[in-house]
Amino acid sequence: MLERLNVLEKEALKTLKTTSDSDALAEWQKRYFGKKGALTTLLRSVGDLPAEDRPAFGKAANQVKQRLETAYEAHARDLRQAEVERSLERDRLDVTLPGRPIGPGHLHITTQTLREYFAIFAEMGFQVYEAPDVETDVMNFGMLNMPPHHPARDMWDTFYIDDDVILRTHTSPGQIRVMRERYPEPIRVVLPGKCYRYEQITARSEHQFYQLEGLAVGHAITMTYLIGTLTEFARRLYGPDRRLRIRSSYFPFTEPSIEADMDCILCAGAGCRMCKYSGWLEIAGAGMVHPVVLRNGGYDPEEWGGFAFGMGVERPAIVKYGIDDIRLFYSNDLRFLRQF
Ligand code: FA5
């Protein structure tokens, strides 16, 4: 029996060396250690030996078993290592290749446009003031001279969060906030920000867009200052020859109210597709701050006066760059965004 054990060990070690992949290794293991494997069978036959030979055989058999197991583990490790080396060789990776460059990105066209506006207004003494996007109904309408059920509320289709909280439909509620914060100082600020309207999206209208509000409050402010400021703005942005046209309009928070148009930058007033053959492009809604609004902001309208204006950001950029659809601004198409 001991002789058979020796032969089996030698044979097993020899065949182990010839296994060259994991399948062959599994096969080897089954052949010697499986339920009907050679070593298992030999170990089981210990019962056939005379009782006095059993301990010596058992001891020798266990040593053989241990040596084979150790050899098996070592060979399996070698095979795994060889496989890793083969796959590294096969899927060679050149770590010295340069990486794919990631561009640093740049400012969005809206941000660029807003910053251009800020720079122009800064030269005229206007500071930037930021007010919140989420507003109360009272601030967005009530304080701006539109109590509940005022028909002018229909001018702005509103996203309501609940009965009192809304997404601001325009930057005008910021007027009240800045007045309450600055009283009794005179004010000259521009208020940029996103506005939200529950409206049909078209090539000219988004449901989210930016506005820039302007507000000046002082002791001797007249409509002439307002018109002068808007004219200067248009000329600094679009060139010194620009002309402005003032139309009478209506906003509940200004009295009197106006709308300012600029002669079309494409056709200089002759009429083209851009200005819908009118020769004029609208640049802002504006007016003298209504006494009720001044009072709501804490300023006595007997002593103080002011002007305010509100202009879009995307629509003028559309005109400037000849973009034909406002939806391109926020659809995140890099082919569009990279151009500016
Ligand atoms: C207003 O929102 C007033 N608050 C402006 C104002 C301020 C008047 C202060 C008087 C004093 P209006 O609804 O016209 O006005 O919007 C102003 C500008 O926002 C428009 O001229 C346009 O450029 C832009 N705008 C309005 N709706 C959209 C829209 N759906 N998509 C893109 N731009 C828009």
Side-chain angles (χ1 to χ4, degrees):
M1 284 288 258
L2 279 174
E3 184 53 29
R4 276 176 63 194
L5 200 57
N6 271 337
V7 172
L8 186 138
E9 182 180 7
K10 274 191 195 124
E11 181 206 283
L13 287 172
K14 202 169 138 199
T15 49
L16 180 63
K17 283 204 183 102
T18 64
T19 57
S20 57
D21 58 36
S22 54
D23 284 350
L25 199 64
E27 188 52 44
W28 181 91
Q29 211 217 18
K30 196 170 151 207
R31 190 162 144 201
Y32 293 99
F33 290 92
K35 260 191 194 160
K36 292 181 183 158
L39 188 65
T40 318
T41 314
L42 199 61
L43 284 173
R44 232 181 259 137
S45 65
V46 70
D48 303 341
L49 286 174
E52 64 273 21
D53 293 343
R54 284 182 203 166
F57 178 78
K59 195 175 165 201
N62 269 328
Q63 284 168 349
V64 169
K65 189 177 173 214
Q66 252 173 28
R67 282 198 293 276
L68 287 182
E69 274 172 355
T70 310
Y72 168 83
E73 290 299 338
H75 192 62
R77 220 176 15 250
D78 290 349
L79 284 183
R80 276 197 301 272
Q81 178 64 23
E83 176 54 33
V84 168
E85 277 164 20
R86 270 200 303 277
S87 80
L88 280 177
E89 189 60 35
R90 205 171 42 233
D91 312 320
R92 202 170 249 284
L93 182 71
D94 184 354
V95 290
T96 64
L97 279 176
R100 286 200 191 108
I102 299 174
H106 69 277
L107 295 177
H108 189 274
I109 175 177
T110 303
T111 313
Q112 290 182 41
T113 308
L114 269 171
R115 289 192 181 183
E116 252 180 292
Y117 289 8
F118 294 163
I120 293 172
F121 283 113
E123 284 173 359
M124 292 194 259
F126 286 79
Q127 297 172 318
V128 175
Y129 184 96
E130 301 223 22
D133 290 29
V134 180
E135 265 296 4
T136 57
D137 176 274
V138 172
M139 282 295 210
N140 196 82
F141 294 117
M143 289 293 142
L144 295 175
N145 202 21
M146 283 175 277
H149 313 300
H150 192 292
R153 286 182 173 224
D154 280 355
M155 287 161 73
W156 296 279
D157 302 306
T158 310
F159 285 114
Y160 279 87
I161 290 170
D162 60 32
D163 284 349
D164 302 318
V165 180
I166 61 157
L167 298 180
R168 67 174 166 200
T169 58
H170 51 176
T171 41
S172 301
Q175 290 186 30
I176 302 291
R177 291 187 180 275
V178 73
M179 280 194 264
R180 287 183 177 178
E181 196 181 296
R182 295 283 168 90
Y183 180 81
E185 303 287 324
I187 297 172
R188 223 186 292 173
V189 290
V190 283
L191 305 103
K194 215 174 209 185
C195 303
Y196 307 82
R197 292 187 192 175
Y198 181 57
E199 42 180 74
Q200 181 75 37
I201 299 176
T202 66
R204 263 180 66 76
S205 296
E206 261 289 3
H207 55 25
Q208 297 180 38
F209 56 93
Y210 278 81
Q211 279 189 349
L212 185 73
E213 188 91 3
L215 174 71
V217 177
H219 285 298
I221 292 190
T222 66
M223 176 72 92
T224 315
Y225 289 158
L226 169 61
I227 296 171
T229 303
L230 292 176
T231 308
E232 190 58 24
F233 168 73
R235 289 186 177 160
R236 291 199 191 186
L237 194 62
Y238 294 107
D241 300 331
R242 294 274 73 87
R243 286 177 298 132
L244 241 61
R245 172 178 86 169
I246 303 301
R247 285 179 287 123
S248 135
S249 184
Y250 173 74
F251 297 102
F253 33 93
T254 44
E255 180 59 38
S257 302
I258 60 164
E259 258 167 272
D261 302 333
M262 173 182 80
D263 59 333
C264 177
I265 55 170
L266 255 198
C267 62
C272 68
R273 221 189 95 210
M274 170 101 77
C275 58
K276 297 202 195 105
Y277 301 96
S278 70
W280 297 95
L281 298 167
E282 185 193 313
I283 63 162
M288 303 311 289
V289 182
H290 197 286
V292 168
V293 176
L294 280 172
R295 200 172 293 117
N296 288 337
Y299 287 76
D300 180 356
E302 297 298 327
E303 288 180 32
W304 297 84
F307 69 69
F309 57 84
M311 54 179 70
V313 178
E314 293 86 355
R315 282 188 194 161
I318 282 177
V319 170
K320 183 172 172 189
Y321 296 108
I323 299 164
D324 49 19
D325 197 323
I326 196 171
R327 285 167 284 203
L328 289 166
F329 277 72
Y330 306 114
S331 54
N332 286 338
D333 187 333
L334 287 178
R335 289 169 304 178
F336 170 76
L337 296 173
R338 278 202 187 106
Q339 297 176 76
F340 306 99

